[in-house]
Amino acid sequence: MAYEPAAPSPYEQPTIRRPRRARLAAAASPAAGIGAAANIGVRGIEFVQVVQALDNRVRLIAGKPTVARVYLDPATVAASTLVTGEITWRRANSGASYLAAMNRVRLDPARTPDLTAQRFDLAESLNFVLPDDALSAGSIELSLDHINVPGGEKLPLAAQPTMTVIFVAAPPLRIRAIGLRYRSVRTPAATITPGAIHFDYLRSYLLRAYPVASLEWTQIVIDGDRLTPPFPETQSILVNAQLSALRAREISSGMDPRTHYYGLVDNETGKSFMRGSALYDEATTIFGSVACGPCGVPNGWTGDSDASFADWYGAHELGHTFQRRHPGFPPFDPVQRTGQPRDSLETSFPYAGGFISSPAQEFVGFDFGDPALGLQMRALPGNINHDVMTYADSQWLSAYTYEAIHDRLVHEDTALAPPTA
């Protein structure tokens, strides 16, 4: 019997699918000619770290993770089209480097979000994570090189102007995190100690949201003096006194005097909550470099659904140590004793409702995320997220608070620097 070769398997020769050609909208200008295709429209390019305006007015910190967001106009295609692209960047007197987008964007003329909606949603922009060698102090030039169908043709794109982006050096953030343990009165044999996850979340949030590229961080756990639940309203004052004494001893032994101390007190799964505060001198109206606050699992409290509220709560109390004050949101209700009394020395907070932007939405927040904690990169709409110095839900840093903390950090870096030998 003659040998009959087996029929070839369809898996030996996979089907090759060519990318679908993009259909572009007709040019709006009669001078372009009847039936001529329009260029892909670019609505704007924004360089984001924590919070930004479309004109890129918020300073960029050298060494801090940065994303260039490119907003394309869906009306310039005639049918739904998936696109990606590349930008070029270079430093003065150096060659250009190409950088591919980290994602693809579907342009659809039947679903045309406005520019604000695009800025509110990371999936609506082409996003480029700038490499480390592009982030050093100084200026770089960037431009959008091309837009293309993934794996296919380049699409017509009007010549894009070169943008100059400046990165400024910033001092490190110096934090000494102190976990304070105490004996549970509900379970006398149990000692309540802040878990490592709360330190991790606080550290990550500060590095992502504060105007710094580096964090000099140390942490310890100690016994809390006079720390016995149920905690009175004045408990944080006693904790700050203990932390102040510790800080004075450690600075006299060589700790950098620019270090801010923050104490964490576990809330015993909601049974022993201690309200936080920062050290404050009523006579001089100056905050000290010591603060403390609770930590625990938020379970949706103030819009927080992750594993710890130590992050934004600690960023708020530490904000006081950089001379940030309460803007008064939500408004204080003297009968219900709810909301936030406005600090009489806070007269410049610019955004209604305590949001991170005015109703015009000139500012949008941006969280680079932290894969180690399962936190994804995301845009933070200015009509949802509130400034970290408020008592409102969904907290982040507004441009106002971000710039002010930067200026205070720069001041302290010189004014409080230890003497050189």
Side-chain angles (χ1 to χ4, degrees):
M1 181 176 180
Y3 172 73
E4 296 287 342
S9 168
Y11 297 104
E12 293 177 1
Q13 295 183 354
T15 301
I16 298 176
R17 295 182 179 178
R18 291 188 175 89
R20 180 180 298 176
R21 291 182 63 85
R23 292 172 51 206
L24 303 182
S29 171
I34 297 175
N39 292 318
I40 294 293
V42 179
R43 290 172 164 175
I45 301 178
E46 194 170 20
F47 297 90
V48 296
Q49 291 181 333
V50 174
V51 62
Q52 191 55 275
L54 197 59
D55 61 4
N56 296 295
R57 77 186 76 156
V58 179
R59 81 183 76 219
L60 297 172
I61 304 301
K64 193 172 184 68
T66 306
V67 173
R69 301 186 65 191
V70 176
Y71 306 107
L72 303 176
D73 187 355
T76 53
V77 296
S80 178
T81 304
L82 193 65
V83 301
T84 187
E86 288 187 356
I87 62 173
T88 61
W89 68 271
R90 71 179 186 89
R91 295 209 170 263
N93 302 319
S94 67
S97 297
Y98 290 88
L99 179 65
M102 62 177 288
N103 67 320
R104 303 169 177 182
V105 169
R106 183 164 295 282
L107 302 180
D108 187 348
R111 186 197 61 83
T112 306
D114 62 16
L115 181 56
T116 297
Q118 287 181 308
R119 296 178 71 212
F120 281 2
D121 187 349
L122 201 62
E124 295 288 352
S125 58
L126 270 184
N127 306 311
F128 302 82
V129 179
L130 299 188
D132 290 345
D133 51 351
L135 304 179
S136 56
S139 64
I140 61 172
E141 295 179 350
L142 302 100
S143 63
L144 180 59
D145 183 75
H146 69 264
I147 299 297
N148 63 282
V149 175
E153 63 180 328
K154 292 183 180 181
L155 305 179
L157 178 68
Q160 294 298 303
T162 298
M163 305 179 67
T164 299
V165 179
I166 299 174
F167 292 92
V168 298
L173 179 63
R174 301 172 176 90
I175 299 294
R176 178 89 157 136
I178 316 295
L180 295 113
R181 53 181 169 243
Y182 61 90
R183 183 73 65 181
S184 172
V185 296
R186 302 174 187 275
T187 309
T191 297
I192 308 303
T193 304
I197 191 69
H198 304 303
F199 291 91
D200 293 342
Y201 267 80
L202 174 60
R203 180 178 181 175
S204 175
Y205 189 99
L206 293 174
L207 194 52
R208 287 168 13 238
Y210 267 43
V212 296
S214 62
L215 177 60
E216 294 182 5
W217 172 279
T218 59
Q219 65 185 61
I220 58 171
V221 175
I222 62 175
D223 291 328
D225 295 342
R226 294 181 290 175
L227 190 60
T228 303
F231 300 130
E233 283 290 315
T234 57
Q235 183 65 64
S236 62
I237 297 175
L238 299 176
V239 171
N240 283 335
Q242 180 180 359
L243 296 177
S244 296
L246 173 65
R247 183 174 184 274
R249 291 196 302 271
E250 291 188 341
I251 286 178
S252 67
S253 299
M255 177 68 73
D256 193 313
R258 295 167 292 190
T259 305
H260 291 236
Y261 279 50
Y262 184 71
L264 295 90
V265 177
D266 191 270
N267 74 343
E268 197 176 358
T269 63
K271 300 172 185 176
S272 302
F273 184 84
M274 183 200 76
R275 189 183 183 95
S277 72
L279 190 68
Y280 185 64
D281 188 326
E282 295 281 356
T284 63
T285 67
I286 294 175
F287 288 98
S289 296
V290 167
C292 65
C295 62
V297 180
N299 293 321
W301 180 44
T302 70
D304 191 352
S305 58
D306 58 32
S308 176
F309 62 78
D311 46 9
W312 55 265
Y313 205 118
H316 172 104
E317 299 301 347
L318 283 166
H320 287 310
T321 70
F322 291 102
Q323 311 309 311
R324 297 296 85 217
R325 300 174 182 273
H326 292 155
F329 299 102
F332 181 63
D333 184 332
V335 177
Q336 300 296 325
R337 305 293 297 175
T338 57
Q340 183 188 69
R342 184 181 67 84
D343 190 310
S344 62
L345 296 179
E346 176 50 89
T347 59
S348 303
F349 189 82
Y351 315 120
F355 289 105
I356 62 172
S357 184
S358 70
Q361 301 307 325
E362 69 268 41
F363 294 103
V364 173
F366 177 79
D367 184 354
F368 198 83
D370 187 338
L373 298 177
L375 302 175
Q376 295 184 342
M377 183 185 297
R378 59 193 178 125
L380 302 173
N383 62 351
I384 295 175
N385 294 272
H386 297 86
D387 186 84
V388 75
M389 298 312 299
T390 69
Y391 286 173
D393 293 355
S394 304
Q395 295 188 1
W396 195 244
L397 269 68
S398 68
Y400 174 80
T401 297
Y402 186 81
E403 296 282 18
I405 290 178
H406 170 271
D407 292 345
R408 182 67 189 183
L409 271 166
V410 171
H411 167 75
E412 290 185 1
D413 197 55
T414 300
L416 302 181
T420 56

